[in-house]
Amino acid sequence: MDAQSRGRAEEIDPADQWVLNPRTGHYELQLNDSAARERPKVAAPRRSSSAPAAPTAPSPGVPGQRRGDAPPGGRRGGGGRSRKGGGGGGRRKKALLITSGTLAFLLVGGAAAAYLYYDHLNGNLSVTDIAGAGTGGFKKDQAINILVIGTDKRSGAGNEGYGDKDSVGHADTTILFHIAKDRSNATALSIPRDLITTIPDCPTKQPDGTTKTVRGAKGVRFNTSLGQEGRDAGCTMRTVKELTGIEVDNFMMVDFNAVKTLSTAVGGVPVCLEKDVDDEDSKLKLTKGEHKLEGEQALAFVRTRHAFGNESDLDRIKTQQQFLGSMMREMKSKETLTSPKKFFSLAEAATKSLTVDQGLGSIDKLTDLAGELKDIDLKNITFTTLPVLDNPAEKVKATVVVNQGLADPLLQMIRGDVSLTEVEKKEQAAKEAADADAKAKQDALLQGNRAPAGDVRVAVYNGGGPKGAASTTLSWLQNSKGMSKASNQGNAPSKVDATQLEYAPNQADQARALADALGLPATALKMGTTDAAAKTPMKLTLGPDFQKPGTPLAPPVPQELPKDVQQAQADKAVCAK
């Protein structure tokens, strides 16, 4: 509540409304003038010359540390302003627009918008120093990879009865959320907790500020990448990179309370069942048909392993995906978007449930992330699961291993930023025609004369290839191909999605010669529009598809998933069975 500009929180009139401003698309607090005249006005205190400026986010702390303890609606410093916000020595109230996407990330679910108090919500967040895991944070002009972790840690009121109350928690539910570079679509990849994998060595920040390296392990369950042996969420990020080849930008982590509080705040999450359910372990007891779940019931629904399918963790993942898709639809519904009460409840519940890395350690940064997601339609968000097989080394099947035949093309598509969303036939036909035209134009770049090897000038950069790739490529070009005018420029300023050769029109003969030597496809050639000055080198940037000089680049990224890969769109309701 607007305690600083309107007096005590309890004085706020119900007639005051959060309404949508059609000119801006934002929600704004509209005061009821008649009610305002009847209530006593509270003078806005003047700021002294020593009063602090608009507060900034506190420095991130060690794992689990809260960022503030301001009461709801309160602030940790600064002055106020009159209820009309007009002038005097008053200061502008600090508010936050949470647009579609912020709440979506909390459990990969939904969209909402409301002006809420910056400092109080900052104070709700917990921040973990991940000791350099990940890319250092998402970037606006690149694809984004956020790791959403649901931990089974039993801390918090009401959670003592779930399993081992003293457990430090595991990576119980893990979803790698990939947002396309053009922000048109997203893929939510679930990683089974019982997957056998390799956990790398993990530098981990300690409460005293020092860094301890937790030794890695081979042939262990994926869920032990968090909590066990002192591993933090940064270790789960490193494990995901080891497993998928995808480097994570940031992480978000929630526990049991998030499911209970968010489902309650949204007014219940609709689910449907194709049969009656009575699961003693999760305490889920529901009749066949439609239900709206919140609190303990919602938690029981996402935790059950014995109610649906063949009672495996893989079927539980499908149930969780159905629940999250339904939560997204509920958060995006008219009933939620027009309810100020739900806005406040959702933002409060979401931020209290959330632990993030330093790159997302403030409401400002979460809002920036929300801005990157606000235009993604739910029909373009695809849930899928990393394909696995029963572990062949076990007689009693308890764990799984990666099904490489299905997983490789899926991971290639995510790394290549290819949407898993089905496209309308007309749109697909138009895209295929445009792709064919572009391919013909690109192939034409390889037609023409080749320059002598000794005339090829190229500066080699490593933009995501193996360590030392620029150096080994330079040596190979000079010693094996006679391209003595090549030079090594080390790491590129930024990473690229695939190897590319940039050159000027008057360097086309050099580009063709280099493409022949390295086996570059036409798609790797990027010709500029103006000629280069004499002795200016071309620019070769080696990407993640580059293995070593003389070896063909990785095969083209698949454009369609194998039919046996499980997937579901967030806009479609599916009944649990």
Side-chain angles (χ1 to χ4, degrees), residues 135 137-145 178-183 249 372 417 493-497:
T135 64
F138 75 92
K139 297 177 178 60
K140 292 181 178 293
D141 59 345
Q142 296 182 17
I144 300 173
N145 294 299
H178 172 85
I179 301 96
K181 182 177 180 179
D182 64 5
R183 308 300 187 252
D249 296 305
E372 300 299 306
D417 201 28
S494 59
K495 293 184 177 180
V496 293
D497 296 327

Side-chain angles (χ1 to χ4, degrees), residues 200-404:
D201 292 345
C202 297
T204 307
K205 281 287 186 180
Q206 304 301 301
D208 63 1
T210 61
T211 300
K212 173 186 175 183
T213 296
V214 180
R215 293 189 63 180
K218 293 183 178 180
V220 295
R221 278 180 166 89
F222 174 84
N223 68 347
T224 60
S225 64
L226 177 71
Q228 312 310 300
E229 309 296 331
R231 298 184 181 107
D232 63 6
C235 193
T236 307
M237 292 170 69
R238 290 181 168 93
T239 304
V240 167
K241 180 183 178 182
E242 185 95 4
L243 177 64
T244 67
I246 300 168
E247 191 163 26
V248 181
D249 296 305
N250 302 95
F251 88 88
M252 294 180 164
M253 183 166 64
V254 294
D255 59 16
F256 284 162
N257 283 323
V259 178
K260 294 191 288 187
T261 57
L262 284 174
S263 60
T264 301
V266 81
V269 177
V271 300
C272 70
L273 284 69
E274 291 193 359
K275 62 180 182 180
D276 294 343
V277 170
D278 189 358
D279 179 12
E280 293 184 1
D281 290 343
S282 68
K283 307 298 188 293
L284 180 67
K285 187 173 183 178
L286 295 171
T287 58
K288 176 182 177 181
E290 297 183 356
H291 299 270
K292 209 165 189 180
L293 306 183
E294 59 182 81
E296 294 289 345
Q297 265 196 327
L299 179 59
F301 184 81
V302 299
R303 289 187 66 244
T304 181
R305 292 187 64 172
H306 307 295
F308 307 113
N310 61 6
E311 301 185 8
S312 70
D313 186 55
L314 297 180
D315 283 292
R316 183 173 71 158
I317 287 174
K318 293 179 184 178
T319 302
Q320 292 171 344
Q321 291 175 349
Q322 293 162 11
F323 182 86
L324 294 176
S326 182
M327 180 178 282
M328 288 182 180
R329 295 191 296 275
E330 195 66 16
M331 287 181 172
K332 211 172 177 69
S333 69
K334 181 179 179 182
E335 289 73 16
T336 299
L337 292 174
T338 56
S339 171
K341 180 179 179 181
K342 286 187 178 179
F343 282 151
F344 280 99
S345 297
L346 279 169
E348 190 74 16
T351 52
K352 281 185 175 179
S353 301
L354 193 61
T355 298
V356 296
D357 61 274
Q358 291 172 302
L360 291 178
S362 73
I363 299 301
D364 275 345
K365 293 173 181 177
L366 287 172
T367 305
D368 286 343
L369 181 58
E372 300 299 306
L373 301 173
K374 62 184 177 65
D375 295 326
I376 301 179
D377 195 298
L378 290 181
K379 69 180 181 180
N380 292 326
I381 299 177
T382 302
F383 288 103
T384 188
T385 303
L386 185 69
V388 294
L389 299 167
D390 286 336
N391 189 347
E394 296 176 334
K395 290 184 178 179
V396 178
K397 304 303 181 185
T399 61
V400 293
V401 296
V402 175
N403 181 342
Q404 296 294 165

Side-chain angles (χ1 to χ4, degrees), residues 99-170:
T99 55
S100 65
T102 301
L103 293 175
F105 270 95
L106 304 181
L107 277 174
V108 195
Y115 282 105
L116 293 165
Y117 295 113
Y118 177 93
D119 284 347
H120 174 58
L121 294 182
N122 259 340
N124 284 344
L125 292 172
S126 290
V127 181
T128 295
D129 185 335
I130 54 176
T135 64
F138 75 92
K139 297 177 178 60
K140 292 181 178 293
D141 59 345
Q142 296 182 17
I144 300 173
N145 294 299
I146 305 293
L147 194 65
V148 182
I149 306 170
T151 175
D152 58 356
K153 188 174 181 180
R154 272 73 177 174
S155 61
N159 295 326
E160 300 85 355
Y162 299 130
D164 179 7
K165 68 178 181 179
D166 298 320
S167 171
V168 294
H170 303 74

